[in-house]
Amino acid sequence: MQTRREAYPRFNQEAPPLEIPEGCEHVWDWFAQVSGSVGRVRDGVCDPIPPSEWLAWRNLTGEIVHHWEQDALFAMDIAFCDEMNKELEAKRAAHEDEIKQRGKGKK
């Protein structure tokens, strides 16, 4: 499976810089594990990971998650959804423009 970061070159884009604070790499790994295993987009909108999924992941892995780590995971999820929703909206707008352009060509 390819990460979003790895996919940027396919779209002739450069991935934004990734800065993971020292000692927090595990939180990034946790986020990737859960985010990659949950369907996120419904009706064209990226939704946050439900708390039940985080609980299920913790129960399955036995990971001990401190409050600051959970706060970081939730913040990462909100940021991910915000960026995904911008991307989804841009794709919708581009698709609508394409349809309009096709319609103009038929007249």
Side-chain angles (χ1 to χ4, degrees):
M1 184 169 91
Q2 187 178 50
T3 66
R4 293 187 62 72
R5 179 164 289 287
E6 294 166 343
Y8 272 91
R10 265 192 312 145
F11 301 102
N12 297 320
Q13 295 180 346
E14 187 175 322
L18 177 62
E19 296 178 25
I20 301 173
E22 189 174 325
C24 296
E25 295 86 358
H26 67 287
V27 177
W28 186 263
D29 291 339
W30 291 347
F31 181 76
Q33 286 173 19
V34 178
S35 182
S37 66
V38 176
R40 309 292 304 272
V41 179
R42 289 184 233 353
D43 297 325
V45 176
C46 182
D47 291 324
I49 298 167
S52 59
E53 293 297 329
W54 291 110
L55 277 173
W57 168 80
R58 284 177 25 199
N59 288 335
L60 286 170
T61 63
E63 293 287 357
I64 297 171
V65 181
H66 299 281
H67 289 287
W68 71 268
E69 293 165 323
Q70 190 67 61
D71 291 345
L73 290 165
F74 286 164
M76 291 167 72
D77 194 30
I78 290 168
F80 178 84
C81 288
D82 288 347
E83 290 304 313
M84 280 296 298
N85 285 326
K86 287 177 192 174
E87 190 175 309
L88 291 166
E89 180 57 36
K91 285 180 182 180
R92 273 192 296 275
H95 181 70
E96 289 172 8
D97 287 346
E98 185 180 318
I99 291 171
K100 287 178 187 175
Q101 292 301 322
R102 281 192 217 151
K104 288 180 181 178
K106 291 182 179 182
K107 292 181 180 181

